[in-house]
Amino acid sequence: MLRSIYTLFFVVVLFQFASAQDYRWQQRVEYTMDVKLDVTTHKITGTQKLVYFNNSKDTLSKVYYHLHWNAFQPGSMMDVRSRSLPDPDGRVTDRISKLAESETGYQKIISLKQDGKDVTTHVDGTILIVELKKPILPNTKTVFDMKFESQVPIQIRRSGRNSREGIAYTMTQWYPKLAEYDFQGWHINQYVAREFHGVWGDFDVKLTLDPRFVVASTGKIQNPEKVGYGYEKAGTSVQRPNGELTWHFKAKDVIDFAWAADPEYKHDIIRVPDGPTIHLFHQPGEKTTESWSKLPEYAVKHFQFMNKFYGKYPYDTYSIIQGGDGGMEYPMCTMITGERPLNSLVGVMAHEASHSWYQAVLASNESMYAWFDEGYTDYSSSESEASMFGKPIADSHKGAYGGYFALVKRNLQEPMSTLSDHFNTNFGYGVSAYSMGAVYLHQMRYIIGEDNFYKGMQRYYNTWKMRHPEPIDFLRVMEKTSGLQLKWYANYWLQTTKRIDYGVKSAVEEAGATTVTLERVGQMPMPIDLVITYKDGTKELFYIPLNETFGSKPVEDKTMARTDLTEWYWTNPTYTFKVNKPLAGISLIEIDPQARMADIVKDNNKFDPAALNLKPAEPVQPKN
Ligand SMILES: [Zn+2]
């Protein structure tokens, strides 16, 4: 009897373990690339050996690669999309349509073998479709050997040569990159504008080019004494060849690999205490030298802030590289424009470096959930920036709320769950991904409380790093950390365009007490923090949980008295409670004075009895 109970127990445990594994399998890649860049023709020729581990339960008869640079050709989807949008990215507009043949980008596959045998391929825009000779069975690996040739496009967006700031090569999205396959299937979105995804794995990359060029890259240099340029140990004499120079980099457990090259790069190095070595590369000049000389100390502060509040950066190195345009995140490095005053330079560095936590280490799927990466990056880097410049951290998310209110006012809101490239406007995409992503977190903090929030953010990072989390994974961590039910919140904020608007409807005095009635004007329900300021200057917080959460947040501000009221059922448009003070003893009733709820009508949040011509015992209507 006992034995059979034990057997049953083990079967149940094994079954649960197996089903969790089934759902969370993860593909793996090992790239070995040897490429040559001709700096006169701007062409790359290279070989790529890719070991692909199929850890799924599925047999794969096809695989797909991204050929991102094919987007930089007149008539490409990226070109047409940019010319059709009402508010195209100013860096792209119609520039792709005007590229001469020698200025376009492409990636051509010269040959591709699977386990030594040729396979059939065809190209559809920026996607290479590979019909396999031999299907890849579950839990097996296969080896692809590829020869490819690419032309580096004129810098339009992110990748390319001869950027406006005069950087010779920004080599991003530069190699044929295997698409990710997970429990949702293949992720083979065409390169139309933005946001990427990748398979976890290791990169071993050899780059051969003119020895006058300095290379900055993802990963760690393997031959520092051969290449020099600041990579070598101090005092080492570097003997560079007269001909071409080969740079060797390796990166482990990353989803992508990017690099840049320029003959004028100045290479600075600084070490974060208890953190990575940071490499900085810029072209010295009137618009760069001063701000870049101060950037390293801010980079250190930023990594320390992120390590403390959002989890520990796991790699040995990080490179901040003056690159093509704007700022763009890659694993273990970023490309940013460099001709900026210090504040702006620190801002873009902080944003892109924060991506290391969300785009690089957690690596959620940006093309499906841009907000899940951009919003979290915006949120954490805004706090770090405020801290670096001595500004109140509590105010650092106001800009994000401003963005959301502007979107509502312009009537351009679409559900945040819209695929990144499919928003009707760039403005709508930008606000949804960055601002509303940040507001999602700040409202989460309002709902679950200050302490739970930071605990949850760290727990999320530590639980899901290097595992491609889904939005539900984050939500579950926040639910477990807070003990509150939060699915209603995620659904309203991420999947719908319903809005928050609460108001104080009336305050009526009866027998020396005041009855306050609140109303939910908007469609989205929230728990309520309401603060009453009494005539003697003291304040009291009235906390009204939403019934959907099945619990209350802990006290956040120990300096203010808090009264917990009964829950507000989301179905009920109004809510009434009693304050044991006469109306004449109250100077202000205010919903959410910290403005952490994105309440779209603020006028009705405050109720000032003195501002109204009071007639006791009659309901008083606040302004709407
Ligand atoms: Zn970003």
Side-chain angles (χ1 to χ4, degrees):
M1 185 69 193
L2 251 182
R3 174 169 290 191
S4 61
I5 285 173
Y6 274 126
T7 312
L8 183 66
F9 173 76
F10 281 117
V11 167
V12 168
V13 167
L14 274 174
F15 175 75
Q16 284 179 344
F17 182 68
S19 54
Q21 291 287 306
D22 289 351
Y23 173 62
R24 287 304 183 185
W25 48 264
Q26 201 160 283
Q27 305 296 73
R28 181 170 173 78
V29 285
E30 286 171 11
Y31 287 97
T32 307
M33 290 191 272
D34 196 341
V35 300
K36 210 169 165 173
L37 169 65
D38 183 329
V39 299
T40 54
T41 61
H42 314 295
K43 284 184 181 155
I44 296 176
T45 47
T47 59
Q48 181 192 82
K49 180 182 170 184
L50 171 61
V51 185
Y52 183 47
F53 296 82
N54 178 17
N55 298 326
S56 77
K57 299 285 277 182
D58 305 327
T59 297
L60 305 176
S61 57
K62 283 182 190 179
V63 300
Y64 301 83
Y65 287 74
H66 296 277
L67 306 175
H68 291 108
W69 283 0
N70 288 358
F72 300 106
Q73 293 170 14
S76 70
M77 285 178 71
M78 188 177 193
D79 175 30
V80 174
R81 180 68 169 162
S82 178
R83 287 184 286 124
S84 319
L85 276 175
D87 59 342
D89 185 326
R91 295 165 288 200
V92 184
T93 58
D94 63 349
R95 287 176 66 212
I96 297 174
S97 71
K98 292 175 175 163
L99 291 174
E101 217 167 288
S102 62
E103 298 172 332
T104 60
Y106 61 71
Q107 282 155 333
K108 278 186 188 151
I109 309 307
I110 309 297
S111 66
L112 181 60
K113 288 182 168 32
Q114 180 199 5
D115 296 330
K117 295 206 174 91
D118 284 323
V119 287
T120 314
T121 63
H122 52 278
V123 175
D124 179 359
T126 63
I127 301 293
L128 177 77
I129 303 157
V130 182
E131 315 272 353
L132 299 175
K133 279 261 166 58
K134 193 179 83 183
I136 314 171
L137 299 177
N139 301 312
T140 65
K141 67 177 180 182
T142 197
V143 180
F144 294 106
D145 278 292
M146 178 190 281
K147 283 189 182 145
F148 67 99
E149 183 194 298
S150 310
Q151 178 165 285
V152 189
I154 285 280
Q155 172 83 49
I156 300 282
R157 185 82 181 91
R158 301 190 184 97
S159 323
R161 61 188 157 96
N162 306 343
S163 79
R164 285 176 193 179
E165 294 190 351
I167 301 300
Y169 293 101
T170 308
M171 305 296 277
T172 59
Q173 287 88 38
W174 62 278
Y175 62 95
K177 175 180 161 186
L178 196 78
E180 178 60 304
Y181 181 77
D182 63 18
F183 73 101
Q184 303 195 60
W186 285 102
H187 296 278
I188 40 178
N189 47 304
Q190 296 276 358
Y191 185 26
V192 171
R194 58 176 77 90
E195 307 300 352
F196 306 94
H197 196 40
V199 191
W200 287 106
D202 301 340
F203 288 75
D204 181 324
V205 181
K206 286 186 179 136
L207 306 164
T208 301
L209 68 161
D210 185 320
R212 289 170 299 176
F213 284 71
V214 183
V215 174
S217 164
T218 293
K220 210 171 171 181
I221 189 83
Q222 301 298 304
N223 56 345
E225 317 304 338
K226 287 224 170 81
V227 298
Y229 290 120
Y231 284 105
E232 77 281 15
K233 264 197 209 116
T236 314
S237 82
V238 176
Q239 304 275 317
R240 271 193 293 274
N242 291 326
E244 287 173 318
L245 178 62
T246 298
W247 300 68
H248 186 192
F249 292 93
K250 280 187 185 176
K252 214 176 147 31
D253 292 324
V254 291
I255 56 159
D256 200 0
F257 186 100
W259 58 290
D262 192 273
E264 289 171 51
Y265 271 151
K266 182 174 184 297
H267 179 189
D268 297 304
I269 298 176
I270 193 161
R271 190 165 176 113
V272 181
D274 200 25
T277 300
I278 299 182
H279 298 259
L280 301 100
F281 299 85
H282 77 283
Q283 268 188 3
E286 231 174 77
K287 295 178 184 162
T288 54
T289 300
E290 206 197 320
S291 47
W292 280 78
S293 72
K294 296 190 180 116
L295 187 60
E297 59 181 279
Y298 286 96
V300 168
K301 281 185 198 164
H302 179 65
F303 273 80
Q304 287 178 312
F305 183 93
M306 290 297 297
N307 280 345
K308 184 173 170 192
F309 290 99
Y310 291 98
K312 197 160 185 338
Y313 180 81
Y315 306 110
D316 287 347
T317 63
Y318 186 74
S319 294
I320 299 166
I321 307 164
Q322 184 183 5
D325 72 330
M328 186 64 195
E329 67 276 9
Y330 296 95
M332 301 175 77
C333 74
T334 177
M335 307 286 167
I336 56 175
T337 43
E339 295 176 355
R340 297 163 178 263
L342 184 66
N343 278 17
S344 161
L345 190 64
V346 170
V348 71
M349 173 278 294
H351 178 91
E352 304 309 333
S354 277
H355 269 299
S356 292
W357 277 252
Y358 302 103
Q359 180 262 354
V361 174
L362 287 157
S364 48
N365 186 341
E366 300 169 65
S367 58
M368 291 182 77
Y369 325 111
W371 59 269
F372 203 18
D373 166 40
E374 295 296 354
Y376 290 36
T377 295
D378 184 80
Y379 192 84
S380 54
S381 62
S382 298
E383 296 201 336
S384 170
E385 254 188 281
S387 141
M388 284 190 275
F389 290 109
K391 293 179 183 158
I393 290 179
D395 291 348
S396 61
H397 307 298
K398 283 193 172 155
Y401 284 76
Y404 168 66
F405 295 135
L407 183 71
V408 169
K409 206 169 168 191
R410 287 174 61 179
N411 210 18
L412 292 172
Q413 190 186 1
E414 296 170 64
M416 284 171 75
S417 54
T418 304
L419 296 176
S420 303
D421 279 324
H422 294 256
F423 279 87
N424 295 329
T425 59
N426 267 321
F427 179 72
Y429 155 77
V431 172
S432 291
Y434 294 74
S435 309
M436 290 182 71
V439 173
Y440 180 61
L441 289 184
H442 209 51
Q443 290 186 142
M444 177 77 78
R445 187 164 164 173
Y446 168 81
I447 296 165
I448 69 176
E450 189 79 6
D451 290 347
N452 282 334
F453 176 75
Y454 281 114
K455 271 185 215 151
M457 289 303 283
Q458 295 222 8
R459 187 172 169 183
Y460 164 57
Y461 180 80
N462 290 325
T463 307
W464 286 102
K465 61 188 170 191
M466 293 171 182
R467 291 177 69 193
H468 290 322
E470 294 286 313
I472 186 65
D473 300 322
F474 170 72
L475 198 72
R476 287 296 295 128
V477 170
M478 296 322 244
E479 286 189 336
K480 287 178 195 169
T481 305
S482 65
L484 300 178
Q485 294 294 309
L486 300 166
K487 283 180 242 337
W488 60 274
Y489 171 58
N491 179 270
Y492 272 91
W493 193 252
L494 303 172
Q495 313 278 344
T496 80
T497 56
K498 294 183 183 189
R499 287 151 192 176
I500 302 165
D501 178 16
Y502 279 92
V504 184
K505 192 173 159 73
S506 64
V508 182
E509 188 177 317
E510 270 176 278
T514 301
T515 300
V516 178
T517 301
L518 308 179
E519 65 179 331
R520 178 175 53 72
V521 185
Q523 292 164 313
M524 178 166 171
M526 287 289 269
I528 299 295
D529 278 3
L530 180 138
V531 174
I532 293 188
T533 309
Y534 298 111
K535 278 277 161 62
D536 63 6
T538 56
K539 287 174 190 283
E540 183 174 0
L541 170 68
F542 291 84
Y543 171 64
I544 310 169
L546 180 70
N547 80 298
E548 285 289 292
T549 60
F550 286 89
S552 303
K553 70 173 162 185
V555 170
E556 293 180 286
D557 178 359
K558 293 197 173 78
T559 65
M560 195 188 299
R562 172 169 133 171
T563 300
D564 285 31
L565 300 173
T566 56
E567 59 198 354
W568 186 337
Y569 287 86
W570 71 267
T571 45
N572 300 2
T574 60
Y575 182 95
T576 299
F577 68 99
K578 219 173 221 167
V579 186
N580 287 326
K581 286 265 166 90
L583 196 54
I586 292 172
S587 60
L588 187 66
I589 302 171
E590 187 176 7
I591 295 171
D592 183 28
Q594 293 181 320
R596 288 189 289 176
M597 281 200 295
D599 187 316
I600 56 162
V601 180
K602 289 284 188 305
D603 292 357
N604 57 0
N605 288 24
K606 277 188 196 180
F607 184 85
D608 176 1
L612 299 162
N613 217 353
L614 283 184
K615 289 179 193 155
E618 255 178 51
V620 181
Q621 301 294 333
K623 275 185 286 177
N624 236 330

Coordinates of all heavy atoms in Angstrom, one line a residue, residues 4-20:
S4 N 2.8 1.6 -3.3 CA 2.0 2.1 -4.4 C 1.7 3.6 -4.3 O 1.6 4.3 -5.3 CB 0.7 1.3 -4.6 OG -0.1 1.5 -3.5
I5 N 1.5 4.1 -3.0 CA 1.4 5.5 -2.8 C 2.6 6.3 -3.3 O 2.5 7.3 -4.0 CB 1.0 5.8 -1.4 CG1 -0.5 5.4 -1.1 CG2 1.1 7.3 -1.1 CD1 -0.9 5.5 0.3
Y6 N 3.8 5.7 -2.8 CA 5.0 6.4 -3.3 C 5.2 6.4 -4.8 O 5.5 7.4 -5.4 CB 6.2 5.6 -2.6 CG 6.5 6.1 -1.3 CD1 6.6 5.3 -0.2 CD2 6.7 7.5 -1.0 CE1 6.9 5.7 1.1 CE2 7.0 8.0 0.3 CZ 7.1 7.1 1.3 OH 7.4 7.5 2.6
T7 N 4.8 5.2 -5.4 CA 4.9 5.1 -6.9 C 4.0 6.2 -7.5 O 4.5 6.9 -8.4 CB 4.5 3.7 -7.4 OG1 5.2 2.8 -6.6 CG2 4.9 3.6 -8.8
L8 N 2.8 6.3 -7.0 CA 1.9 7.3 -7.5 C 2.5 8.7 -7.4 O 2.4 9.5 -8.3 CB 0.5 7.1 -6.8 CG -0.6 8.1 -7.3 CD1 -1.0 7.7 -8.7 CD2 -1.8 8.0 -6.4
F9 N 3.0 8.9 -6.2 CA 3.6 10.2 -5.9 C 4.7 10.6 -7.0 O 4.7 11.6 -7.5 CB 4.2 10.2 -4.5 CG 5.0 11.5 -4.2 CD1 4.3 12.6 -3.9 CD2 6.4 11.5 -4.1 CE1 5.0 13.8 -3.5 CE2 7.1 12.6 -3.8 CZ 6.4 13.8 -3.5
F10 N 5.6 9.6 -7.2 CA 6.7 9.8 -8.1 C 6.2 10.0 -9.6 O 6.6 10.9 -10.3 CB 7.7 8.7 -8.1 CG 8.6 8.8 -6.9 CD1 8.7 7.9 -5.9 CD2 9.4 10.0 -6.8 CE1 9.5 8.0 -4.8 CE2 10.3 10.1 -5.7 CZ 10.3 9.1 -4.7
V11 N 5.1 9.3 -9.9 CA 4.6 9.4 -11.3 C 4.0 10.8 -11.4 O 4.3 11.5 -12.4 CB 3.5 8.3 -11.5 CG1 2.7 8.7 -12.8 CG2 4.1 7.0 -11.7
V12 N 3.3 11.3 -10.4 CA 2.7 12.6 -10.5 C 3.8 13.7 -10.6 O 3.8 14.6 -11.4 CB 1.8 12.9 -9.2 CG1 1.4 14.4 -9.2 CG2 0.6 12.0 -9.3
V13 N 4.9 13.5 -9.7 CA 6.0 14.5 -9.8 C 6.6 14.5 -11.1 O 6.9 15.5 -11.7 CB 7.0 14.2 -8.7 CG1 8.3 15.0 -8.9 CG2 6.4 14.5 -7.3
L14 N 6.9 13.3 -11.7 CA 7.6 13.2 -12.9 C 6.7 13.8 -14.1 O 7.2 14.5 -14.9 CB 7.8 11.7 -13.3 CG 9.2 11.2 -12.7 CD1 9.2 9.7 -13.0 CD2 10.4 11.9 -13.3
F15 N 5.4 13.5 -14.0 CA 4.6 14.0 -15.0 C 4.6 15.6 -15.0 O 4.7 16.2 -16.0 CB 3.1 13.5 -14.8 CG 2.1 14.1 -15.8 CD1 2.1 13.7 -17.1 CD2 1.3 15.1 -15.4 CE1 1.2 14.3 -18.0 CE2 0.4 15.7 -16.2 CZ 0.4 15.3 -17.6
Q16 N 4.5 16.1 -13.8 CA 4.5 17.6 -13.7 C 5.8 18.2 -14.2 O 5.9 19.1 -14.9 CB 4.3 18.0 -12.2 CG 2.9 17.9 -11.8 CD 2.6 18.3 -10.4 OE1 3.6 18.4 -9.6 NE2 1.4 18.5 -10.1
F17 N 6.9 17.5 -13.9 CA 8.2 18.0 -14.3 C 8.3 17.9 -15.8 O 8.7 18.9 -16.5 CB 9.3 17.1 -13.7 CG 10.7 17.5 -14.0 CD1 11.2 18.7 -13.5 CD2 11.5 16.7 -14.8 CE1 12.5 19.1 -13.9 CE2 12.8 17.1 -15.2 CZ 13.3 18.3 -14.7
A18 N 7.8 16.8 -16.4 CA 7.9 16.6 -17.8 C 7.1 17.6 -18.5 O 7.5 18.2 -19.5 CB 7.4 15.2 -18.2
S19 N 5.9 17.9 -18.0 CA 5.0 18.9 -18.7 C 5.6 20.3 -18.7 O 5.5 21.0 -19.6 CB 3.6 18.8 -18.2 OG 3.5 19.0 -16.8
A20 N 6.2 20.6 -17.5 CA 6.8 21.9 -17.4 C 8.0 22.0 -18.5 O 8.1 23.0 -19.2 CB 7.4 22.2 -16.0

